[in-house]
């Protein structure tokens, strides 16, 4: 998302950009083939906005070019969405790499091959709960263990038989 200039509306920013475009086009040294690309980089807009702005000031593009850019942009957005979904799936897979339907975390396996670790029931969660729920449950479990350990330590050191 772009940086928003304070105190100006979108329409006002577009008008200023089109004024600057009219000046820029007079000094443009690149090829007409790359004009939209250079405009996009110069004014920090997406390719569709660049084409629309250039068309507004009188630059003509072939319909084939416009269609190709539209297809290319749709494909770019689709690829970006797929990459995002793939990354989310990989994170999800890593999160539950050491778990199954019974164990939220499999610490290891016995010599007979049976898993052991922390069960979903111990955490008070349904299998494959969200990452946030899982982290909250682990924190809760840690606090319970710390409380239990400190109570045991107090009992251990509470007697008169403590040696200095």
């Amino acid at each position: 998302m772009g940086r928003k200039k304070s105190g100006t509306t979108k329409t006002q920013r577009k008008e200023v950009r089109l004024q600057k475009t009219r000046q820029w086009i007079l000094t443009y040294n690149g090829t007409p083939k790359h004009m939209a690309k250079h405009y996009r980089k110069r004014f920090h807009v997406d390719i569709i906005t660049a084409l629309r702005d250039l068309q507004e000031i009188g630059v003509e593009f072939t319909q084939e070019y416009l269609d190709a850019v539209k297809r290319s942009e749709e494909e770019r957005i689709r690829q970006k969405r797929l990459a995002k979904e793939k990354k989310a799936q990989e994170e999800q897979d890593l999160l539950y790499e050491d778990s199954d339907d019974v164990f939220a975390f499999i610490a290891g396996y016995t010599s007979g091959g049976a898993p052991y670790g922390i069960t979903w029931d111990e955490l008070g969660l349904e299998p494959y709960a969200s990452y946030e729920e899982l982290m909250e449950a682990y924190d809760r479990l840690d606090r319970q263990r710390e409380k239990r350990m400190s109570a045991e330590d107090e009992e251990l050191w509470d007697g008169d038989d403590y040696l200095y």
Side-chain angles (χ1 to χ4, degrees):
M1 210 152 110
R3 184 173 52 125
K4 187 174 182 180
K5 308 253 187 207
S6 60
T8 60
T9 65
K10 188 175 182 178
T11 307
Q12 290 171 330
R13 288 192 304 275
K14 182 179 179 181
E15 287 303 318
V16 169
R17 189 174 66 240
L18 288 176
Q19 284 177 343
K20 289 181 179 180
T21 300
R22 288 182 185 94
Q23 295 169 351
W24 173 78
I25 209 141
L26 296 173
T27 61
Y28 178 67
N29 294 336
T31 64
K33 181 179 178 182
H34 297 110
M35 185 181 286
K37 176 183 169 186
H38 293 143
Y39 178 85
R40 187 179 71 72
K41 287 184 178 181
R42 169 78 172 92
F43 291 99
H44 306 285
V45 294
D46 62 64
I47 190 70
I48 303 298
T49 303
L51 290 171
R52 192 177 304 127
D53 286 358
L54 288 168
Q55 285 178 316
E56 277 189 43
I57 63 164
V59 177
E60 294 182 17
F61 297 100
T62 65
Q63 190 59 45
E64 289 174 356
Y65 176 72
L66 294 173
D67 292 343
V69 167
K70 185 178 179 183
R71 279 192 310 272
S72 174
E73 188 66 10
E74 287 171 352
E75 180 63 19
R76 185 189 68 80
I77 290 169
R78 189 181 75 78
Q79 290 293 331
K80 192 174 181 180
R81 182 180 47 78
L82 287 174
K84 187 176 180 180
E85 289 173 359
K86 181 180 177 185
K87 183 178 178 184
Q89 184 61 45
E90 286 172 356
E91 288 175 358
Q92 189 78 1
D93 292 346
L94 279 176
L95 178 62
Y96 299 112
E97 185 175 46
D98 295 326
S99 65
D100 62 14
D101 291 340
V102 176
F103 292 95
F105 175 72
I106 298 174
Y109 294 88
T110 64
S111 59
Y116 62 89
I118 301 173
T119 65
W120 291 105
D121 287 339
E122 284 180 89
L123 294 176
L125 297 174
E126 292 294 319
Y128 305 106
S130 73
Y131 177 78
E132 291 80 16
E133 291 175 319
L134 194 57
M135 292 301 109
E136 286 175 16
Y138 280 138
D139 288 342
R140 210 173 30 250
L141 190 62
D142 284 343
R143 285 192 302 273
Q144 289 172 355
R145 285 183 178 161
E146 286 173 6
K147 199 179 211 181
R148 195 170 49 244
M149 292 299 287
S150 65
E152 288 174 7
D153 287 347
E154 273 188 39
E155 285 179 24
L156 182 65
W157 300 111
D158 249 5
D160 288 336
D161 56 349
Y162 178 70
L163 298 176
Y164 291 93

